[in-house]
Amino acid sequence: RKEVEQDPGPFNVPEGATVAFNCTYSNSASQSFFWYRQDCRKEPKLLMSVYSSGNEDGRFTAQLNRASQYISLLIRDSKLSDSATYLCVVPHQAGTALIFGKGTTLSVSS
Amino acid sequence: DGGITQSPKYLFRKEGQNVTLSCEQNLNHDAMYWYRQDPGQGLRLIYYSQIVNDFQKGDIAEGYSVSREKKESFPLTVTSAQKNPTAFYLCASCIDRNSYNEQFFGPGTRLTVL
């Protein structure tokens, strides 16, 4: 299993739809997980941190399944502005660096 | 405003030339990182520094060098030994060098080798 793996998509959904992304990771000892958002040709920005079983922030819910070693991101009531690439991020063994997945691309249309 | 800055935004260089990318932060963060991103790829760790005057190689350090003489600054030099340097370079910082926390990124430098 790769260190972190995501379905690259693209996911094309209409406004108002609910969409979910999954991410698998290989290091069973990992304790901290993150979802970052990256807009086209921009730097990544933190969307959510996941330290326990899950986290919810408005329309966004992140869940962690340690037994199966996967993390999911659920977006409800999709907005046009949600169109971006979503990066699944897990701890690196080098200091406190992070390992970034290749990202899942979401395109929300009207 | 606190933040992390990178310059220049776009950089062109001829083959065989060394070039230095700037990264400055005024967030008083201990840890700083350099990543490289290629099209359709995830970010890959080049170098990282958890404290002033100390830095460590990441996953793809060959052909790169760094320094950390000041807490605020972590410049990256792309040397002529780097075989495929054209990429998007991202610098990041983190407040805590001992635990995994949010990393704040600069706007990036797009390097193109002609």
Side-chain angles (χ1 to χ4, degrees):
Chain A
R1 174 178 279 183
K2 292 184 179 178
E3 290 173 311
V4 57
E5 201 156 10
Q6 297 181 248
D7 180 347
F11 285 65
N12 298 304
V13 303
E15 275 187 289
T18 295
V19 61
F21 310 137
N22 286 331
C23 164
T24 58
Y25 61 94
S26 61
N27 185 357
S28 59
S30 296
Q31 297 293 315
S32 308
F33 306 89
F34 307 90
W35 282 100
Y36 276 70
R37 169 187 170 137
Q38 186 173 25
D39 291 288
C40 187
R41 301 177 71 82
K42 298 284 190 179
E43 72 275 20
K45 293 184 180 178
L46 180 68
L47 178 66
M48 297 185 77
S49 305
V50 188
Y51 295 108
S52 57
S53 61
N55 192 8
E56 184 172 331
D57 183 5
R59 297 183 294 110
F60 298 85
T61 301
Q63 291 193 315
L64 169 63
N65 184 318
R66 291 188 189 275
S68 301
Q69 292 180 218
Y70 78 80
I71 317 150
S72 64
L73 178 67
L74 180 76
I75 304 175
R76 291 181 294 276
D77 188 22
S78 299
K79 311 291 184 190
L80 294 174
S81 57
D82 293 334
S83 297
T85 298
Y86 292 84
L87 308 175
C88 177
V89 183
V90 302
H92 199 299
Q93 293 183 14
T96 53
L98 300 173
I99 300 174
F100 289 77
K102 294 181 180 181
T104 298
T105 299
L106 171 65
S107 178
V108 181
S109 56
S110 57
Chain B
D1 286 333
I4 181 166
T5 58
Q6 292 183 243
S7 62
K9 190 171 182 179
Y10 298 96
L11 187 57
F12 298 88
R13 96 161 201 214
K14 294 181 180 179
E15 277 192 50
Q17 289 180 336
N18 291 359
V19 62
T20 297
L21 281 56
S22 167
C23 177
E24 303 279 332
Q25 54 98 358
N26 60 4
L27 300 167
N28 199 32
H29 285 178
D30 283 328
M32 297 186 74
Y33 314 85
W34 273 105
Y35 296 91
R36 164 185 174 141
Q37 187 175 34
D38 295 279
Q41 301 296 315
L43 281 68
R44 290 184 291 167
L45 182 67
I46 305 173
Y47 266 97
Y48 66 100
S49 169
Q50 294 183 269
I51 197 168
V52 176
N53 292 322
D54 183 63
F55 50 83
Q56 304 296 330
K57 292 181 179 180
D59 300 318
I60 53 164
E62 185 175 352
Y64 299 98
S65 65
V66 294
S67 63
R68 186 86 187 276
E69 297 176 2
K70 299 185 299 181
K71 189 175 186 177
E72 306 79 35
S73 179
F74 191 40
L76 174 74
T77 297
V78 184
T79 75
S80 56
Q82 168 50 232
K83 301 299 182 190
N84 186 19
T86 294
F88 186 37
Y89 289 87
L90 288 156
C91 179
S93 70
C94 180
I95 190 169
D96 188 348
R97 65 175 182 264
N98 296 314
S99 62
Y100 296 102
N101 283 289
E102 176 180 3
Q103 291 189 6
F104 293 83
F105 284 84
T109 292
R110 293 194 178 274
L111 173 64
T112 302
V113 175
L114 303 172

PDB file of all heavy atoms in Angstrom, chain A residues 77-97:
ATOM      1  N   ASP A  77     -24.281  19.710   0.316  1.00  0.00           N
ATOM      2  CA  ASP A  77     -24.788  20.932  -0.303  1.00  0.00           C
ATOM      3  C   ASP A  77     -23.661  21.662  -1.053  1.00  0.00           C
ATOM      4  O   ASP A  77     -23.340  22.825  -0.775  1.00  0.00           O
ATOM      5  CB  ASP A  77     -25.396  21.848   0.770  1.00  0.00           C
ATOM      6  CG  ASP A  77     -26.121  23.038   0.192  1.00  0.00           C
ATOM      7  OD1 ASP A  77     -26.522  22.963  -0.987  1.00  0.00           O
ATOM      8  OD2 ASP A  77     -26.257  24.057   0.899  1.00  0.00           O
ATOM      9  N   SER A  78     -23.069  21.002  -2.006  1.00  0.00           N
ATOM     10  CA  SER A  78     -21.915  21.533  -2.732  1.00  0.00           C
ATOM     11  C   SER A  78     -22.190  22.902  -3.345  1.00  0.00           C
ATOM     12  O   SER A  78     -23.272  23.159  -3.875  1.00  0.00           O
ATOM     13  CB  SER A  78     -21.513  20.565  -3.856  1.00  0.00           C
ATOM     14  OG  SER A  78     -21.143  19.329  -3.335  1.00  0.00           O
ATOM     15  N   LYS A  79     -21.193  23.763  -3.255  1.00  0.00           N
ATOM     16  CA  LYS A  79     -21.252  25.101  -3.836  1.00  0.00           C
ATOM     17  C   LYS A  79     -20.260  25.174  -5.012  1.00  0.00           C
ATOM     18  O   LYS A  79     -19.288  24.429  -5.059  1.00  0.00           O
ATOM     19  CB  LYS A  79     -20.871  26.160  -2.799  1.00  0.00           C
ATOM     20  CG  LYS A  79     -21.571  26.054  -1.469  1.00  0.00           C
ATOM     21  CD  LYS A  79     -23.029  26.378  -1.569  1.00  0.00           C
ATOM     22  CE  LYS A  79     -23.684  26.368  -0.183  1.00  0.00           C
ATOM     23  NZ  LYS A  79     -25.169  26.458  -0.292  1.00  0.00           N
ATOM     24  N   LEU A  80     -20.508  26.118  -5.900  1.00  0.00           N
ATOM     25  CA  LEU A  80     -19.573  26.321  -7.005  1.00  0.00           C
ATOM     26  C   LEU A  80     -18.170  26.590  -6.483  1.00  0.00           C
ATOM     27  O   LEU A  80     -17.173  26.134  -7.058  1.00  0.00           O
ATOM     28  CB  LEU A  80     -20.019  27.487  -7.892  1.00  0.00           C
ATOM     29  CG  LEU A  80     -21.314  27.312  -8.664  1.00  0.00           C
ATOM     30  CD1 LEU A  80     -21.675  28.612  -9.380  1.00  0.00           C
ATOM     31  CD2 LEU A  80     -21.209  26.163  -9.661  1.00  0.00           C
ATOM     32  N   SER A  81     -18.090  27.295  -5.373  1.00  0.00           N
ATOM     33  CA  SER A  81     -16.802  27.666  -4.793  1.00  0.00           C
ATOM     34  C   SER A  81     -16.056  26.483  -4.171  1.00  0.00           C
ATOM     35  O   SER A  81     -14.897  26.634  -3.776  1.00  0.00           O
ATOM     36  CB  SER A  81     -16.994  28.750  -3.727  1.00  0.00           C
ATOM     37  OG  SER A  81     -17.896  28.293  -2.735  1.00  0.00           O
ATOM     38  N   ASP A  82     -16.716  25.342  -4.077  1.00  0.00           N
ATOM     39  CA  ASP A  82     -16.033  24.145  -3.563  1.00  0.00           C
ATOM     40  C   ASP A  82     -15.147  23.500  -4.623  1.00  0.00           C
ATOM     41  O   ASP A  82     -14.374  22.581  -4.316  1.00  0.00           O
ATOM     42  CB  ASP A  82     -17.047  23.107  -3.071  1.00  0.00           C
ATOM     43  CG  ASP A  82     -17.817  23.573  -1.847  1.00  0.00           C
ATOM     44  OD1 ASP A  82     -17.292  24.414  -1.092  1.00  0.00           O
ATOM     45  OD2 ASP A  82     -18.956  23.079  -1.651  1.00  0.00           O
ATOM     46  N   SER A  83     -15.266  23.935  -5.857  1.00  0.00           N
ATOM     47  CA  SER A  83     -14.444  23.377  -6.938  1.00  0.00           C
ATOM     48  C   SER A  83     -12.970  23.613  -6.643  1.00  0.00           C
ATOM     49  O   SER A  83     -12.526  24.753  -6.527  1.00  0.00           O
ATOM     50  CB  SER A  83     -14.820  24.011  -8.280  1.00  0.00           C
ATOM     51  OG  SER A  83     -16.153  23.723  -8.616  1.00  0.00           O
ATOM     52  N   ALA A  84     -12.226  22.523  -6.520  1.00  0.00           N
ATOM     53  CA  ALA A  84     -10.815  22.607  -6.137  1.00  0.00           C
ATOM     54  C   ALA A  84     -10.258  21.188  -6.117  1.00  0.00           C
ATOM     55  O   ALA A  84     -10.973  20.225  -6.417  1.00  0.00           O
ATOM     56  CB  ALA A  84     -10.647  23.241  -4.765  1.00  0.00           C
ATOM     57  N   THR A  85      -9.007  21.082  -5.757  1.00  0.00           N
ATOM     58  CA  THR A  85      -8.396  19.777  -5.517  1.00  0.00           C
ATOM     59  C   THR A  85      -8.236  19.589  -4.027  1.00  0.00           C
ATOM     60  O   THR A  85      -7.750  20.488  -3.330  1.00  0.00           O
ATOM     61  CB  THR A  85      -7.030  19.668  -6.221  1.00  0.00           C
ATOM     62  OG1 THR A  85      -7.224  19.790  -7.629  1.00  0.00           O
ATOM     63  CG2 THR A  85      -6.378  18.325  -5.935  1.00  0.00           C
ATOM     64  N   TYR A  86      -8.634  18.433  -3.530  1.00  0.00           N
ATOM     65  CA  TYR A  86      -8.600  18.153  -2.094  1.00  0.00           C
ATOM     66  C   TYR A  86      -7.487  17.139  -1.825  1.00  0.00           C
ATOM     67  O   TYR A  86      -7.477  16.043  -2.386  1.00  0.00           O
ATOM     68  CB  TYR A  86      -9.958  17.644  -1.626  1.00  0.00           C
ATOM     69  CG  TYR A  86     -10.991  18.747  -1.703  1.00  0.00           C
ATOM     70  CD1 TYR A  86     -11.653  19.011  -2.897  1.00  0.00           C
ATOM     71  CD2 TYR A  86     -11.256  19.557  -0.604  1.00  0.00           C
ATOM     72  CE1 TYR A  86     -12.575  20.046  -2.990  1.00  0.00           C
ATOM     73  CE2 TYR A  86     -12.167  20.596  -0.682  1.00  0.00           C
ATOM     74  CZ  TYR A  86     -12.816  20.837  -1.883  1.00  0.00           C
ATOM     75  OH  TYR A  86     -13.713  21.877  -1.980  1.00  0.00           O
ATOM     76  N   LEU A  87      -6.574  17.542  -0.954  1.00  0.00           N
ATOM     77  CA  LEU A  87      -5.383  16.746  -0.676  1.00  0.00           C
ATOM     78  C   LEU A  87      -5.519  16.045   0.671  1.00  0.00           C
ATOM     79  O   LEU A  87      -5.786  16.694   1.686  1.00  0.00           O
ATOM     80  CB  LEU A  87      -4.143  17.636  -0.638  1.00  0.00           C
ATOM     81  CG  LEU A  87      -3.912  18.557  -1.838  1.00  0.00           C
ATOM     82  CD1 LEU A  87      -2.703  19.457  -1.586  1.00  0.00           C
ATOM     83  CD2 LEU A  87      -3.699  17.738  -3.087  1.00  0.00           C
ATOM     84  N   CYS A  88      -5.330  14.754   0.665  1.00  0.00           N
ATOM     85  CA  CYS A  88      -5.309  13.970   1.888  1.00  0.00           C
ATOM     86  C   CYS A  88      -3.872  13.991   2.420  1.00  0.00           C
ATOM     87  O   CYS A  88      -2.926  13.745   1.654  1.00  0.00           O
ATOM     88  CB  CYS A  88      -5.758  12.549   1.577  1.00  0.00           C
ATOM     89  SG  CYS A  88      -5.702  11.418   2.972  1.00  0.00           S
ATOM     90  N   VAL A  89      -3.701  14.261   3.708  1.00  0.00           N
ATOM     91  CA  VAL A  89      -2.360  14.485   4.251  1.00  0.00           C
ATOM     92  C   VAL A  89      -2.164  13.662   5.521  1.00  0.00           C
ATOM     93  O   VAL A  89      -3.014  13.677   6.418  1.00  0.00           O
ATOM     94  CB  VAL A  89      -2.154  15.980   4.563  1.00  0.00           C
ATOM     95  CG1 VAL A  89      -0.740  16.236   5.053  1.00  0.00           C
ATOM     96  CG2 VAL A  89      -2.440  16.818   3.324  1.00  0.00           C
ATOM     97  N   VAL A  90      -1.033  12.969   5.596  1.00  0.00           N
ATOM     98  CA  VAL A  90      -0.714  12.142   6.761  1.00  0.00           C
ATOM     99  C   VAL A  90       0.681  12.502   7.244  1.00  0.00           C
ATOM    100  O   VAL A  90       1.457  13.125   6.519  1.00  0.00           O
ATOM    101  CB  VAL A  90      -0.787  10.641   6.406  1.00  0.00           C
ATOM    102  CG1 VAL A  90      -2.174  10.294   5.876  1.00  0.00           C
ATOM    103  CG2 VAL A  90       0.278  10.251   5.411  1.00  0.00           C
ATOM    104  N   PRO A  91       1.040  12.124   8.464  1.00  0.00           N
ATOM    105  CA  PRO A  91       2.363  12.478   8.978  1.00  0.00           C
ATOM    106  C   PRO A  91       3.488  11.767   8.229  1.00  0.00           C
ATOM    107  O   PRO A  91       3.365  10.613   7.837  1.00  0.00           O
ATOM    108  CB  PRO A  91       2.318  12.012  10.435  1.00  0.00           C
ATOM    109  CG  PRO A  91       0.878  11.914  10.770  1.00  0.00           C
ATOM    110  CD  PRO A  91       0.200  11.502   9.509  1.00  0.00           C
ATOM    111  N   HIS A  92       4.571  12.493   8.070  1.00  0.00           N
ATOM    112  CA  HIS A  92       5.800  11.949   7.521  1.00  0.00           C
ATOM    113  C   HIS A  92       6.641  11.456   8.697  1.00  0.00           C
ATOM    114  O   HIS A  92       6.471  11.920   9.816  1.00  0.00           O
ATOM    115  CB  HIS A  92       6.538  13.073   6.787  1.00  0.00           C
ATOM    116  CG  HIS A  92       7.580  12.628   5.798  1.00  0.00           C
ATOM    117  ND1 HIS A  92       8.681  11.900   6.151  1.00  0.00           N
ATOM    118  CD2 HIS A  92       7.686  12.833   4.463  1.00  0.00           C
ATOM    119  CE1 HIS A  92       9.417  11.671   5.079  1.00  0.00           C
ATOM    120  NE2 HIS A  92       8.835  12.221   4.037  1.00  0.00           N
ATOM    121  N   GLN A  93       7.553  10.563   8.445  1.00  0.00           N
ATOM    122  CA  GLN A  93       8.439  10.133   9.523  1.00  0.00           C
ATOM    123  C   GLN A  93       9.619  11.082   9.691  1.00  0.00           C
ATOM    124  O   GLN A  93      10.403  10.950  10.637  1.00  0.00           O
ATOM    125  CB  GLN A  93       8.936   8.715   9.246  1.00  0.00           C
ATOM    126  CG  GLN A  93       7.807   7.696   9.326  1.00  0.00           C
ATOM    127  CD  GLN A  93       8.291   6.276   9.134  1.00  0.00           C
ATOM    128  OE1 GLN A  93       9.478   5.998   9.196  1.00  0.00           O
ATOM    129  NE2 GLN A  93       7.373   5.374   8.880  1.00  0.00           N
ATOM    130  N   ALA A  94       9.759  12.050   8.775  1.00  0.00           N
ATOM    131  CA  ALA A  94      10.842  13.022   8.841  1.00  0.00           C
ATOM    132  C   ALA A  94      10.387  14.226   9.658  1.00  0.00           C
ATOM    133  O   ALA A  94       9.612  15.051   9.167  1.00  0.00           O
ATOM    134  CB  ALA A  94      11.238  13.462   7.428  1.00  0.00           C
ATOM    135  N   GLY A  95      10.850  14.317  10.877  1.00  0.00           N
ATOM    136  CA  GLY A  95      10.469  15.440  11.717  1.00  0.00           C
ATOM    137  C   GLY A  95       8.962  15.553  11.824  1.00  0.00           C
ATOM    138  O   GLY A  95       8.273  14.572  12.084  1.00  0.00           O
ATOM    139  N   THR A  96       8.460  16.734  11.610  1.00  0.00           N
ATOM    140  CA  THR A  96       7.006  16.949  11.609  1.00  0.00           C
ATOM    141  C   THR A  96       6.524  17.317  10.215  1.00  0.00           C
ATOM    142  O   THR A  96       5.533  18.011  10.045  1.00  0.00           O
ATOM    143  CB  THR A  96       6.615  18.043  12.615  1.00  0.00           C
ATOM    144  OG1 THR A  96       7.406  19.213  12.350  1.00  0.00           O
ATOM    145  CG2 THR A  96       6.850  17.580  14.032  1.00  0.00           C
ATOM    146  N   ALA A  97       7.249  16.854   9.221  1.00  0.00           N
ATOM    147  CA  ALA A  97       6.808  17.075   7.846  1.00  0.00           C
ATOM    148  C   ALA A  97       5.568  16.233   7.559  1.00  0.00           C
ATOM    149  O   ALA A  97       5.181  15.372   8.355  1.00  0.00           O
ATOM    150  CB  ALA A  97       7.928  16.720   6.869  1.00  0.00           C
TER     151      ALA A  97
END
